[in-house]
Amino acid sequence: MYDRFPRLGLRERTGQQDMSLDIADAYINGRNAMVEAGVGIGKSFAYLIPGLLINHISQQPVIIATSSIQLSEQIHKDLRVIGSRLGFTTVRSVVGKGMGQYACRYRAADLIQPEAPDSPVQALARRITNYEIDERADIQGGISDAVWSEVCVNDCKFEQCRYKSTCSFYDMRAKISARAGEMDFIIVNQDLLIRDLIKKKEGTRPLITEQPALIVIDEAHNLEAKVRDARTLEFTFRGTSRMLDDVLQILFRQSADKSLMAQVRLVKSCLTSIFKQAEADLLQTAKQDNDRIKLSEMKGIPLSRGIQLLKDFQLGLAVLTSRNEREIDNLYEAVHGLIDLFAVLSGSEQGYLLWAGTSRREASISICPKNISQFLKQALFNGKTSVILTSATMCQGGDTLDEQYAYLTQSLGYKGDYMERQPSPFDYNSHTLMYISGSVPCYNHLNRQEYLEAAYKEMLRLCNVTDGRTLVLFSAKEDMTFVHGKLQSEKLAWALHIQQEGSSQDGVIAGFRHSKGVLLSTGVFWEGINIEGSDLSQVIVFRLPFPVPSDPVYEYKASKANNPLKEVFVPDMLLRLRQGTGRLIRSETDLGVLSILDSRLSAAAAKDYRSKVLEALPFKQVTEDFRVLERFVQAKGIKRRI
């Protein structure tokens, strides 16, 4: 196939061919494979080409799991391109997203009130019922999470829904669960794959086809966090109360047992006390909306009695036979989750992490199993189907492949082969410069304000050097908010943009490219954003993206390590830093500057991890002298001449 590339007008890339051969070899030998694929080797083609052959030979679907909707849709386009070029003209494929990405006509119809004054929710509901909108991505310019949450799928009625024949979510779910021979490629996000693995492990109805030929997990550096998110059960008072009302309605309809009402009231009383305490803890401890905090000990709440009642409800649901089988299954699972929460809060269950947070402006409590790696070892890397893990950023420093892949191997419970790293073909040596600011004070939580002021001034100076065309990556939303507020009061020579709320950032990226200004961002912009050419000539990392030590997940991981900084915090930071800095060079002709405003990385700070960071990043020209940066910008023509 690769021999045909020149005739087809496709560029030959050695790293891409090597990766394809590694994947084919893993499949033939029934092995798992882990391979780091540098930016620019054409990673998606590297797994799609063997995937097309494997599907053709086996007649079983290939599952590709990604970490973002944007990447899923890009892979779908790539599949069409490479499939048609290589003669696979009838490839049947589907992109599966989480239910929250789809509009629900059932919910939208309930919201429409002809006499009510017009509102964003009412207007959106009308567009959904008029078949103008099927998915969140259909809304030009994006939409706030708060408004979308009113109309998206959140509790599907499946076969019982009168809108199922025109529902994109229902259609997608039918296609991803197709039998062998009915679908060739199933492209889903990692969340959906993990939920499917959980269901298969628990013996409940799966989401995705049972017999894939191959599973490819792209952006696999995110897999641990995605598994934690998928295995995290989040409870709010309103949501849990609504679930208990549904349980009561179904059980009472079947048995007419009036004592059920008093039993549900007792469980709700426990929930009231639990969430009152969670709200008090959040008020006292949380500094921002996305903080995860420890819960103080629950006292005086009859949790054991609550557990017994919930087990009775679960038993009642288990013996029911009804046309609403899927609804009963969902309620059974929800009650099971609530039993686990009560057991964790009472101290009788030690295998979970527990924290409180804020979800859609409401207090929430979450639990998550401690041992993620054990779950993946049993559910994913069990030898039944070959699994390929790939990403541009999987490795740390080390002399052997075992050492380089060690952090992810341990985090994921990976069992399988390590493939040679496929380096980026881009010329980082002459096309890039890395600048580390030594003038900003070393960050710690005590001097945050001083750090922010100094880093802000340095950021302003750097943006002026490149005449804008800069992506600024923040690891904390409050830092971004502070800088945005300061910049709005300045007279700037370039346009200012800031990341928008919601999943799609196409609009803000288009505005940034058009104006060649400065874009302030966090979260999703650390990865998966592709801005080629001179529109992006500088990436500024405002602060090294270390995880928060007090976060319950990282506190637990640190407690299991001999040297938490070396074994947990630095490796985790490096994975994210490598992703963020990978936004700068996206083509062979790109030129640019990577600027890091965190002086913990400077030579004077003498941190042990400086050498690890410099070794892990591809930027070989490194300076702490601002004048060297200015000369590089002038010499490479990065600074526009008026």
Side-chain angles (χ1 to χ4, degrees):
M1 287 195 141
Y2 278 107
D3 289 345
R4 291 156 55 192
F5 263 40
R7 294 201 310 275
L8 297 169
L10 295 168
R11 188 187 310 166
E12 292 188 85
R13 298 175 183 179
T14 304
Q16 186 183 93
Q17 293 186 32
D18 288 346
M19 183 173 167
S20 285
L21 290 165
D22 283 340
I23 291 169
D25 192 56
Y27 172 75
I28 289 165
N29 292 294
R31 302 277 292 167
N32 301 320
M34 191 182 271
V35 55
E36 179 174 288
V39 176
I41 75 157
K43 172 163 50 86
S44 60
F45 280 13
Y47 56 70
L48 287 173
I49 290 169
L52 283 160
L53 282 167
I54 288 165
N55 166 254
H56 180 70
I57 292 162
S58 69
Q59 294 298 299
Q60 292 175 298
V62 172
I63 295 174
I64 297 171
T66 72
S67 62
S68 70
I69 293 165
Q70 291 88 345
L71 184 55
S72 294
E73 288 171 344
Q74 183 58 51
I75 289 166
H76 200 234
K77 289 175 190 170
D78 289 347
L79 177 62
R80 290 276 173 270
V81 170
I82 197 66
S84 62
R85 291 280 191 98
L86 296 175
F88 296 91
T89 52
T90 57
V91 178
R92 297 161 299 179
S93 58
V94 59
V95 175
K97 306 171 190 175
M99 64 168 61
Q101 294 302 317
Y102 296 89
C104 179
R105 290 201 172 87
Y106 186 93
R107 293 184 74 198
D110 272 0
L111 287 168
I112 294 173
Q113 299 172 8
E115 307 303 318
D118 207 16
S119 69
V121 172
Q122 287 272 314
L124 183 60
R126 278 197 294 276
R127 292 183 68 196
I128 291 167
T129 54
N130 289 337
Y131 300 94
E132 294 173 42
I133 293 169
D134 290 315
E135 301 178 27
R136 186 171 185 166
D138 296 334
I139 302 170
Q140 296 260 330
I143 190 167
S144 74
D145 290 343
V147 172
W148 182 250
S149 68
E150 297 288 325
V151 295
C152 66
V153 178
N154 73 342
D155 186 17
C156 187
K157 294 186 175 296
F158 294 99
E159 288 76 16
Q160 276 67 51
C161 182
R162 61 182 179 271
Y163 296 100
K164 68 180 182 184
S165 62
T166 59
C167 176
S168 293
F169 172 70
Y170 185 85
D171 181 58
M172 176 276 292
R173 285 288 290 267
K175 285 178 177 174
I176 67 171
S177 61
R179 289 184 297 243
E182 294 178 350
M183 190 60 60
D184 300 317
F185 277 78
I186 297 169
I187 304 166
V188 296
N189 56 32
Q190 290 177 18
D191 310 76
L192 205 54
L193 174 69
I194 295 155
R195 283 184 58 220
D196 176 66
L197 294 174
I198 292 167
K199 283 181 173 290
K200 284 170 180 167
K201 188 169 183 294
E202 291 175 348
T204 55
R205 185 184 304 203
L207 303 173
I208 306 176
T209 186
E210 298 251 25
Q211 294 181 310
L214 180 73
I215 298 172
V216 178
I217 300 180
D218 201 345
E219 304 296 327
H221 62 277
N222 282 321
L223 186 59
E224 182 195 2
K226 293 288 186 181
V227 174
R228 285 203 187 278
D229 288 347
R231 300 213 69 199
T232 294
L233 298 177
E234 183 182 82
F235 304 87
T236 62
F237 181 75
R238 279 194 303 175
T240 311
S241 297
R242 193 162 52 239
M243 180 271 290
L244 288 169
D245 289 340
D246 291 344
V247 169
L248 175 61
Q249 187 178 19
I250 282 180
L251 292 179
F252 188 76
R253 193 189 305 145
Q254 193 78 11
S255 67
D257 181 357
K258 291 184 179 178
S259 67
L260 284 166
M261 296 177 191
Q263 292 167 4
V264 168
R265 272 200 304 273
L266 191 145
V267 176
K268 281 190 177 180
S269 167
C270 291
L271 285 170
T272 301
S273 302
I274 290 165
F275 279 97
K276 272 186 182 173
Q277 187 163 318
E279 285 166 6
D281 288 345
L282 284 163
L283 198 63
Q284 188 172 350
T285 311
K287 296 181 177 63
Q288 56 180 345
D289 282 353
N290 60 350
D291 276 358
R292 301 195 287 201
I293 67 155
K294 282 183 180 177
L295 270 172
S296 49
E297 189 183 349
M298 298 283 167
K299 293 178 181 176
I301 304 172
L303 293 167
S304 298
R305 176 63 180 146
I307 290 170
Q308 189 53 57
L309 291 173
L310 287 167
K311 285 181 176 177
D312 291 343
F313 298 161
Q314 199 177 29
L315 184 61
L317 291 168
V319 298
L320 283 183
T321 54
S322 165
R323 287 186 302 113
N324 302 338
E325 184 185 342
R326 203 186 297 248
E327 183 185 2
I328 291 167
D329 282 351
N330 289 343
L331 286 173
Y332 182 92
E333 282 184 43
V335 172
H336 187 79
L338 196 53
I339 291 169
D340 286 341
L341 173 66
F342 278 30
V344 173
L345 290 171
S346 69
S348 61
E349 171 57 73
Q350 301 293 324
Y352 286 82
L353 300 173
L354 168 73
W355 65 84
T358 305
S359 174
R360 293 176 185 154
R361 299 173 188 169
E362 186 180 1
S364 64
I365 298 172
S366 299
I367 58 172
C368 171
K370 289 177 178 176
N371 200 338
I372 293 299
S373 61
Q374 195 61 34
F375 164 75
L376 283 172
K377 196 178 287 185
Q378 294 169 358
L380 185 62
F381 306 123
N382 55 23
K384 291 179 182 175
T385 303
S386 290
V387 179
I388 310 299
L389 301 181
T390 185
S391 165
T393 56
M394 303 183 82
C395 295
Q396 309 284 323
D399 297 326
T400 66
L401 287 176
D402 285 33
E403 290 171 355
Q404 292 165 13
Y405 286 107
Y407 180 65
L408 271 190
T409 296
Q410 189 173 354
S411 299
L412 301 176
Y414 173 73
K415 293 190 298 184
D417 298 334
Y418 305 116
M419 300 305 181
E420 288 292 336
R421 298 167 71 175
Q422 304 300 333
S424 170
F426 300 155
D427 185 1
Y428 282 87
N429 289 348
S430 60
H431 285 195
T432 64
L433 175 76
M434 177 175 168
Y435 168 70
I436 300 168
S437 176
S439 62
V440 178
C442 275
Y443 175 84
N444 64 62
H445 68 281
L446 297 173
N447 75 342
R448 180 174 174 269
Q449 197 59 36
E450 182 189 354
Y451 171 82
L452 284 173
E453 294 286 352
Y456 168 76
K457 288 175 185 171
E458 184 78 332
M459 189 206 82
L460 205 54
R461 190 162 67 133
L462 286 162
C463 292
N464 287 331
V465 167
T466 54
D467 293 327
R469 295 177 296 162
T470 297
L471 174 67
V472 187
L473 294 172
F474 294 88
S475 52
K477 192 175 179 182
E478 67 268 31
D479 290 359
M480 181 174 76
T481 304
F482 170 85
V483 168
H484 185 241
K486 294 269 287 183
L487 285 172
Q488 284 184 305
S489 63
E490 298 268 6
K491 190 173 181 181
L492 303 172
W494 27 262
L496 177 63
H497 305 269
I498 188 166
Q499 178 181 337
Q500 299 301 305
E501 186 181 330
S503 58
S504 176
Q505 300 296 330
D506 294 347
V508 74
I509 291 171
F512 166 72
R513 295 197 74 149
H514 177 74
S515 73
K516 297 173 173 46
V518 171
L519 172 55
L520 310 181
S521 62
T522 184
V524 294
F525 277 82
W526 281 83
E527 54 186 89
I529 302 301
N530 188 27
I531 304 174
E532 288 185 21
S534 61
D535 293 345
L536 177 60
S537 296
Q538 180 173 213
V539 168
I540 296 177
V541 175
F542 199 78
R543 180 148 54 96
L544 291 174
F546 279 105
V548 178
S550 60
D551 181 286
V553 170
Y554 286 98
E555 191 174 61
Y556 169 72
K557 289 181 79 171
S559 73
K560 309 301 284 184
N562 294 321
N563 185 330
L565 182 66
K566 186 178 176 182
E567 296 171 38
V568 176
F569 293 105
V570 169
D572 195 274
M573 178 273 288
L574 263 177
L575 285 179
R576 193 157 183 232
L577 182 64
R578 291 187 68 202
Q579 277 293 319
T581 57
R583 299 312 99 211
L584 182 63
I585 302 298
R586 306 301 297 177
S587 76
E588 289 170 343
T589 57
D590 279 3
L591 301 163
V593 175
L594 167 68
S595 299
I596 296 181
L597 305 189
D598 196 324
S599 58
R600 287 177 291 185
L601 209 55
S602 67
K607 297 288 187 186
D608 289 345
Y609 52 78
R610 173 183 158 90
S611 60
K612 287 189 180 300
V613 173
L614 297 183
E615 181 189 356
L617 297 179
F619 305 89
K620 300 312 170 192
Q621 289 193 71
V622 181
T623 186
E624 296 184 24
D625 188 335
F626 197 85
R627 291 166 299 179
V628 172
L629 179 147
E630 289 179 306
R631 287 197 294 271
F632 177 86
V633 168
Q634 289 287 1
K636 296 295 180 183
I638 293 172
K639 189 175 180 73
R640 289 178 293 180
R641 292 173 177 82
I642 297 169

